[in-house]
Amino acid sequence: MEMLTIGAFAKASRLSPKALRLYDELELLRPARVDPHTGYRYYAAGQLERARLVAWLRRLGMPLASIREVCALDPAAAAREVRSYWARIEAETAVRRDLAAFLVDHLTAESRKDTTMLELRYCAHSDTGRVRPANQDTAYAGTRLLAVADGFGAAGAPASNAAVAALKPLESAELTAGGVLNVLEDAVHEAARAVRDVADGSEEIGTTLTALLWTGSRLALVHIGDSRAYLLRDGALFRITHDHTVVQSMVDEGRLTLEEAVTHPQRALLLRALSGGAPALPDLKLHDARPGDRYLLCSDGLSGVVPEERIELLLAAAPAPDEAVRTLVDEANAAGGPDNVSCVVADVVDPAT
Ligand code: MG
């Protein structure tokens, strides 16, 4: 067996001798032989591949404990582990990016003059659908607040109701540009508490919540669960929420394709929601609004049965929010209406024009 000194092995593996000694102590990469008299470490040429893997994983920023686990796996399983590690990092980064955007907005709010005060034209409707015995969704639209909540469990309707009701004081709250984040966060805590009261300790009872709060020039988005928010801008539809479902997280980690996700038997299983179980808080995000923008909030009773291309088409074709809501709800029911379906559509308009 060809043996390399620690210096030669370090050079070949691009790990420093100091790192190699550390990895020996951590049992991440043991030398093939240690001279009993001198204590010198020797490595086998066959250990180079593992050493290079360790070096790359270190460059990726993976913690040593995780590297040890990855190194113990066969290449296919190791690849899956690296992919899922990276998906977690990206998810964490996305949350931090949104917080950074909030902070930038907060810090520049004083100097920014909102010369135009835009307004919302809106419509909300919730329909039981064709199959369910009751409607557990709640949809709401007012001059400043738009919200959709999709309740689940034995007290799903009271849960979705409680979540939206907790946000309604925002309609008349004092809103300064820089204070939106705090006001919204307080309301969200209130919503979580209200749902916990309804659920009475059961994680089987709860609700999704997707809401937009209007400040006159921007929209603050609150989102938890698998209801969705879309923006139709310049004729193109953009989804601005990320589903908190088990299936979506599997897509993010590359374990499932988008096509497989659509038909997955557990596609509705939520990863995060407001419920009586462990507390989970929604995503918060701020969006700049432009005249001509059209926003859609909907429960999965729409997005689960009507393809996005079709939503885009119907949303773009409707002359006003009430017609958009009506055609979208009709379309879901025409597709079988298997679930409660809720839609809120709001247009951003400049009242001066
Ligand atoms: Mg639903």
Side-chain angles (χ1 to χ4, degrees):
M1 186 163 47
E2 188 196 347
M3 289 296 230
L4 301 172
T5 63
I6 190 167
F9 190 76
K11 213 169 161 198
S13 65
R14 305 198 181 180
L15 288 163
S16 67
K18 189 176 162 201
L20 285 172
R21 282 191 288 272
L22 174 68
Y23 298 161
D24 180 11
E25 281 159 28
L26 295 170
E27 298 180 19
L28 209 54
L29 188 65
R30 315 292 322 236
R33 189 170 77 81
V34 180
D35 188 293
H37 303 294
T38 63
Y40 286 162
R41 295 167 168 86
Y42 293 91
Y43 293 82
Q47 290 185 287
L48 266 177
E49 195 164 343
R50 176 160 185 161
R52 289 196 183 108
L53 177 61
V54 171
W56 283 112
L57 293 173
R58 288 300 287 158
R59 282 184 68 172
L60 198 58
M62 189 180 271
L64 289 171
S66 305
I67 292 179
R68 185 162 35 221
E69 284 167 26
V70 170
C71 285
L73 299 169
D74 64 71
R80 274 198 300 279
E81 210 42 57
V82 171
R83 205 185 284 133
S84 101
Y85 164 75
W86 192 247
R88 281 198 304 278
I89 295 293
E90 286 192 325
E92 283 164 24
T93 306
V95 171
R96 292 174 62 205
R97 182 191 58 215
D98 292 344
L99 280 174
F102 247 131
L103 194 55
V104 167
D105 188 80
H106 175 73
L107 294 169
T108 55
E110 290 302 303
S111 60
R112 189 180 48 233
K113 290 271 181 292
D114 289 332
T115 48
T116 53
M117 273 307 261
L118 303 171
E119 284 180 15
L120 289 184
R121 302 275 187 272
Y122 50 84
C123 179
H125 182 63
S126 185
D127 190 90
T128 307
R130 296 253 162 98
V131 175
R132 298 284 171 93
N135 192 350
Q136 297 194 311
D137 282 4
T138 298
Y140 173 84
T143 50
R144 288 217 306 227
L145 178 71
L146 313 169
V148 162
D150 180 348
F152 56 85
S160 69
N161 247 300
V164 173
L167 297 190
K168 280 187 189 170
L170 292 172
E171 285 279 13
S172 53
E174 180 84 21
L175 287 188
T176 58
V180 176
L181 172 61
N182 293 345
V183 171
L184 199 58
E185 218 169 24
D186 288 349
V188 161
H189 277 111
E190 206 49 59
R193 184 169 28 240
V195 173
R196 265 203 307 280
D197 285 349
V198 170
D200 198 23
S202 168
E203 58 179 344
E204 308 289 317
I205 296 170
T207 185
T208 71
L209 180 62
T210 300
L212 286 167
L213 177 64
W214 180 240
T215 70
S217 59
R218 275 158 301 140
L219 285 155
L221 170 75
V222 177
H223 168 70
I224 186 165
D226 68 347
S227 298
R228 290 180 175 180
Y230 291 94
L231 165 62
L232 184 75
R233 175 174 281 176
D234 301 327
L237 189 72
F238 305 91
R239 200 209 309 177
I240 56 175
T241 50
H242 194 74
D243 290 352
H244 299 138
T245 56
V246 174
V247 162
Q248 180 65 51
S249 75
M250 286 165 79
V251 170
D252 296 344
E253 294 179 5
R255 295 169 197 248
L256 207 65
T257 67
L258 269 178
E259 293 72 42
E260 288 166 338
V262 171
T263 54
H264 196 281
Q266 289 183 306
R267 59 190 173 276
L269 201 60
L270 295 177
L271 206 56
R272 261 201 278 165
L274 300 180
S275 77
L281 286 177
D283 297 338
L284 296 175
K285 233 181 341 187
L286 214 50
H287 277 265
D288 273 311
R290 291 194 211 149
D293 281 351
R294 174 169 280 179
Y295 284 87
L296 164 68
L297 306 185
C298 66
S299 62
D300 66 340
L302 178 76
S303 54
V305 292
V306 181
E308 279 187 4
E309 311 82 70
R310 189 77 190 139
I311 293 176
E312 180 176 38
L313 201 79
L314 293 172
L315 203 56
D322 55 343
E323 283 138 320
V325 165
R326 200 175 56 235
T327 53
L328 288 169
V329 171
D330 286 351
E331 185 82 0
N333 281 329
D339 193 4
N340 306 144
V341 51
S342 300
C343 294
V344 174
V345 173
D347 287 348
V348 177
V349 297
D350 185 347
T353 59

